[in-house]
mmCIF file of all heavy atoms in Angstrom:
data_model
loop_
_atom_site.group_PDB
_atom_site.id
_atom_site.type_symbol
_atom_site.label_atom_id
_atom_site.label_comp_id
_atom_site.label_asym_id
_atom_site.label_seq_id
_atom_site.Cartn_x
_atom_site.Cartn_y
_atom_site.Cartn_z
ATOM 1 N N VAL A 9 -0.931 6.830 6.499
ATOM 2 C CA VAL A 9 -1.924 7.984 6.516
ATOM 3 C C VAL A 9 -1.567 8.992 7.619
ATOM 4 O O VAL A 9 -1.461 10.156 7.489
ATOM 5 C CB VAL A 9 -3.395 7.481 6.601
ATOM 6 C CG1 VAL A 9 -4.263 8.702 6.659
ATOM 7 C CG2 VAL A 9 -3.651 6.497 5.420
ATOM 8 N N ASN A 22 9.993 14.545 0.047
ATOM 9 C CA ASN A 22 10.727 13.234 0.155
ATOM 10 C C ASN A 22 10.347 12.311 -0.986
ATOM 11 O O ASN A 22 11.231 11.704 -1.629
ATOM 12 C CB ASN A 22 10.365 12.616 1.523
ATOM 13 C CG ASN A 22 11.255 11.468 1.916
ATOM 14 O OD1 ASN A 22 12.383 11.409 1.463
ATOM 15 N ND2 ASN A 22 10.606 10.491 2.672
ATOM 16 N N THR A 44 8.425 0.936 -6.372
ATOM 17 C CA THR A 44 7.110 0.419 -5.750
ATOM 18 C C THR A 44 6.126 1.552 -5.529
ATOM 19 O O THR A 44 6.541 2.571 -4.784
ATOM 20 C CB THR A 44 7.294 -0.311 -4.404
ATOM 21 O OG1 THR A 44 8.241 0.513 -3.575
ATOM 22 C CG2 THR A 44 7.949 -1.552 -4.622
ATOM 23 N N ASN A 64 -8.990 8.108 -9.530
ATOM 24 C CA ASN A 64 -10.031 8.990 -8.931
ATOM 25 C C ASN A 64 -9.477 9.536 -7.619
ATOM 26 O O ASN A 64 -9.881 9.303 -6.571
ATOM 27 C CB ASN A 64 -11.219 8.009 -8.681
ATOM 28 C CG ASN A 64 -12.549 8.764 -8.235
ATOM 29 O OD1 ASN A 64 -12.458 10.002 -8.287
ATOM 30 N ND2 ASN A 64 -13.427 8.126 -7.675
ATOM 31 N N ILE A 71 -5.558 16.383 2.814
ATOM 32 C CA ILE A 71 -4.134 16.105 2.845
ATOM 33 C C ILE A 71 -3.824 14.575 2.482
ATOM 34 O O ILE A 71 -2.774 14.289 2.064
ATOM 35 C CB ILE A 71 -3.427 16.563 4.108
ATOM 36 C CG1 ILE A 71 -3.723 18.172 4.238
ATOM 37 C CG2 ILE A 71 -2.104 16.232 4.368
ATOM 38 C CD1 ILE A 71 -2.904 18.888 3.205
ATOM 39 N N ALA A 76 -0.874 9.753 -2.447
ATOM 40 C CA ALA A 76 -1.243 9.182 -3.827
ATOM 41 C C ALA A 76 -0.650 10.079 -4.987
ATOM 42 O O ALA A 76 -0.190 9.659 -5.916
ATOM 43 C CB ALA A 76 -2.742 9.094 -3.962
ATOM 44 N N GLU A 83 5.161 7.747 -10.780
ATOM 45 C CA GLU A 83 4.866 6.826 -11.895
ATOM 46 C C GLU A 83 5.113 7.524 -13.286
ATOM 47 O O GLU A 83 5.568 6.904 -14.202
ATOM 48 C CB GLU A 83 3.553 6.230 -11.769
ATOM 49 C CG GLU A 83 3.300 5.249 -10.627
ATOM 50 C CD GLU A 83 1.970 4.461 -10.730
ATOM 51 O OE1 GLU A 83 1.503 4.305 -11.860
ATOM 52 O OE2 GLU A 83 1.549 3.964 -9.703
ATOM 53 N N TYR A 89 10.950 8.300 -18.182
ATOM 54 C CA TYR A 89 12.319 7.731 -18.328
ATOM 55 C C TYR A 89 12.310 6.526 -19.161
ATOM 56 O O TYR A 89 13.363 6.382 -19.926
ATOM 57 C CB TYR A 89 12.875 7.522 -16.871
ATOM 58 C CG TYR A 89 13.641 8.595 -16.312
ATOM 59 C CD1 TYR A 89 13.125 9.492 -15.313
ATOM 60 C CD2 TYR A 89 15.063 8.849 -16.721
ATOM 61 C CE1 TYR A 89 13.803 10.506 -14.820
ATOM 62 C CE2 TYR A 89 15.820 9.931 -16.124
ATOM 63 C CZ TYR A 89 15.119 10.795 -15.316
ATOM 64 O OH TYR A 89 15.877 11.868 -14.802
ATOM 65 N N ARG A 101 2.458 -1.661 -8.244
ATOM 66 C CA ARG A 101 1.457 -1.033 -7.195
ATOM 67 C C ARG A 101 1.187 -2.091 -6.211
ATOM 68 O O ARG A 101 0.446 -3.145 -6.482
ATOM 69 C CB ARG A 101 0.246 -0.691 -8.027
ATOM 70 C CG ARG A 101 0.483 0.613 -8.944
ATOM 71 C CD ARG A 101 -0.905 1.019 -9.546
ATOM 72 N NE ARG A 101 -0.668 2.156 -10.390
ATOM 73 C CZ ARG A 101 -1.466 2.484 -11.525
ATOM 74 N NH1 ARG A 101 -2.505 1.785 -11.824
ATOM 75 N NH2 ARG A 101 -1.157 3.567 -12.183
ATOM 76 N N SER A 111 5.848 -1.535 11.559
ATOM 77 C CA SER A 111 5.750 -0.549 12.605
ATOM 78 C C SER A 111 4.274 -0.041 12.736
ATOM 79 O O SER A 111 3.557 0.229 11.790
ATOM 80 C CB SER A 111 6.642 0.583 12.295
ATOM 81 O OG SER A 111 6.342 1.765 13.282
ATOM 82 N N ALA A 125 -4.721 -5.013 21.028
ATOM 83 C CA ALA A 125 -5.328 -6.214 21.539
ATOM 84 C C ALA A 125 -4.447 -6.957 22.636
ATOM 85 O O ALA A 125 -4.897 -7.390 23.656
ATOM 86 C CB ALA A 125 -5.470 -7.214 20.469
ATOM 87 N N ILE A 126 -3.081 -6.854 22.377
ATOM 88 C CA ILE A 126 -2.267 -7.424 23.366
ATOM 89 C C ILE A 126 -2.240 -6.757 24.612
ATOM 90 O O ILE A 126 -2.161 -7.423 25.770
ATOM 91 C CB ILE A 126 -0.788 -7.633 22.742
ATOM 92 C CG1 ILE A 126 -0.744 -8.652 21.681
ATOM 93 C CG2 ILE A 126 0.250 -7.863 23.826
ATOM 94 C CD1 ILE A 126 0.392 -8.642 20.840
ATOM 95 N N VAL A 149 5.144 -10.513 -1.572
ATOM 96 C CA VAL A 149 5.608 -9.354 -2.152
ATOM 97 C C VAL A 149 6.960 -9.456 -2.663
ATOM 98 O O VAL A 149 7.295 -9.193 -3.811
ATOM 99 C CB VAL A 149 5.253 -8.110 -1.374
ATOM 100 C CG1 VAL A 149 5.849 -6.816 -2.047
ATOM 101 C CG2 VAL A 149 3.798 -7.964 -1.121
ATOM 102 N N LEU A 153 8.353 -9.262 -6.395
ATOM 103 C CA LEU A 153 9.275 -8.244 -6.926
ATOM 104 C C LEU A 153 10.530 -8.916 -7.579
ATOM 105 O O LEU A 153 11.028 -8.445 -8.580
ATOM 106 C CB LEU A 153 9.754 -7.380 -5.814
ATOM 107 C CG LEU A 153 8.605 -6.545 -5.025
ATOM 108 C CD1 LEU A 153 9.180 -5.514 -4.037
ATOM 109 C CD2 LEU A 153 7.917 -5.650 -6.082
ATOM 110 N N ALA A 172 -5.033 -12.084 -2.114
ATOM 111 C CA ALA A 172 -6.338 -12.619 -2.587
ATOM 112 C C ALA A 172 -7.499 -12.492 -1.557
ATOM 113 O O ALA A 172 -8.635 -12.691 -1.825
ATOM 114 C CB ALA A 172 -6.212 -14.249 -2.836
ATOM 115 N N PHE A 207 -12.248 14.296 5.811
ATOM 116 C CA PHE A 207 -11.343 13.083 5.443
ATOM 117 C C PHE A 207 -12.044 12.027 4.670
ATOM 118 O O PHE A 207 -13.190 11.754 5.025
ATOM 119 C CB PHE A 207 -10.809 12.547 6.809
ATOM 120 C CG PHE A 207 -9.796 11.378 6.580
ATOM 121 C CD1 PHE A 207 -8.456 11.760 6.404
ATOM 122 C CD2 PHE A 207 -10.264 10.090 6.554
ATOM 123 C CE1 PHE A 207 -7.550 10.649 6.188
ATOM 124 C CE2 PHE A 207 -9.301 9.099 6.300
ATOM 125 C CZ PHE A 207 -7.910 9.365 6.167
ATOM 126 N N ARG A 227 0.987 -15.423 -8.283
ATOM 127 C CA ARG A 227 0.251 -14.331 -7.568
ATOM 128 C C ARG A 227 0.319 -14.520 -6.122
ATOM 129 O O ARG A 227 0.412 -15.690 -5.635
ATOM 130 C CB ARG A 227 -1.119 -14.205 -7.881
ATOM 131 C CG ARG A 227 -2.057 -15.424 -7.672
ATOM 132 C CD ARG A 227 -3.417 -15.105 -7.642
ATOM 133 N NE ARG A 227 -3.613 -14.014 -6.686
ATOM 134 C CZ ARG A 227 -4.883 -13.370 -6.591
ATOM 135 N NH1 ARG A 227 -5.887 -13.688 -7.350
ATOM 136 N NH2 ARG A 227 -5.002 -12.390 -5.726
ATOM 137 N N ILE A 235 -1.353 -15.207 7.693
ATOM 138 C CA ILE A 235 -0.606 -14.041 7.740
ATOM 139 C C ILE A 235 -0.677 -13.567 9.202
ATOM 140 O O ILE A 235 0.344 -13.210 9.858
ATOM 141 C CB ILE A 235 -1.104 -12.866 6.806
ATOM 142 C CG1 ILE A 235 -0.939 -13.391 5.286
ATOM 143 C CG2 ILE A 235 -0.333 -11.630 7.063
ATOM 144 C CD1 ILE A 235 -1.551 -12.320 4.417
#
Side-chain angles (χ1 to χ4, degrees):
V9 179
N22 188 31
T44 51
N64 187 10
I71 296 293
E83 289 196 20
Y89 266 98
R101 290 182 181 157
S111 170
I126 288 164
V149 172
L153 295 185
F207 181 85
R227 64 158 304 172
I235 300 174

